Amino acid sequence: GVDTVDLVANDSGGAVAQLLAIRHPQRVRTLLLTNCDVEPDSPPPALKPVFELAEMGIWPDAWLAPWLKDKAKARAPDGLGGMCFSNPEHPTDAAIEQYLGPILQSIERKDLANRYALGLKPNPLAGIEDDLRKLDIPVRVVWGMSDGIFSKDNPDYLARILPRVEGVRRI
């Protein structure tokens, strides 16, 4: 029953939001994009090791299980916290348990996680730039500059191709 939305999107959700906006522009009133995939940076190179492990069927055990077992390792610079959080005290132990515990709960869930990761490998945004250039909705971009996953050039790319970018804020 919702006719229009003000859409806020991050990470792979930013790719979904861009696809939604070009396929159903009448449904998206405004768009706010934060650190996310863009056509020339999807998937980001930082996901290459995830894909390699998922192709071997071992991504959850090789990468996620050690973080669940050792929360300090999860918060290290090369861990979940260091890669995805700006505050070194986050994620909390409880958050790590909540994020990773269900994924590692069974062989079936680990298999689903591997398949999910591999589902991110093909670029879902390939070929959408021309459609984005025609998008007539207000867009704002907020970009965390300490992000090591998505390129620091992505906000400039979005500002160049989206006709109604009404501001780019780098934090």
Side-chain angles (χ1 to χ4, degrees), residues 116-163:
Y116 168 78
L118 292 174
L120 298 172
K121 193 173 182 181
N123 184 351
L125 302 176
I128 70 162
E129 184 174 314
D130 288 342
D131 292 326
L132 288 173
R133 289 181 182 281
K134 299 172 194 165
L135 198 59
D136 189 31
I137 61 172
V139 179
R140 290 195 183 270
V141 178
V142 177
W143 213 263
M145 298 307 288
S146 63
D147 185 332
I149 296 174
F150 294 105
S151 171
K152 291 169 181 42
D153 297 330
N154 289 356
D156 298 321
Y157 170 80
L158 291 167
R160 274 193 318 275
I161 66 160
L162 291 164

Side-chain angles (χ1 to χ4, degrees), residues 2-72:
V2 176
D3 293 326
T4 60
V5 295
D6 295 302
L7 193 54
V8 177
N10 174 259
D11 203 276
S12 56
V16 173
Q18 291 169 66
L19 292 168
L20 178 67
I22 63 170
R23 292 184 181 154
H24 304 283
Q26 72 284 359
R27 306 278 317 266
V28 180
R29 185 171 54 191
T30 62
L31 180 59
L32 171 66
L33 294 172
T34 68
N35 300 56
C36 65
D37 293 78
V38 298
E39 184 177 1
D41 188 32
S42 180
L47 286 181
K48 184 179 180 192
V50 171
F51 299 145
E52 291 170 354
L53 293 170
E55 285 169 350
M56 292 186 278
I58 62 169
W59 173 56
D61 286 323
W63 203 334
L64 306 180
W67 293 341
L68 183 61
K69 184 178 178 181
D70 183 349
K71 309 301 189 290

Side-chain angles (χ1 to χ4, degrees), residues 75-98:
R75 286 185 283 273
D78 61 344
L80 174 68
M83 289 189 286
C84 301
F85 290 79
S86 61
N87 182 336
E89 295 182 22
H90 289 283
T92 63
D93 287 358
I96 293 168
E97 291 282 344
Q98 187 170 1

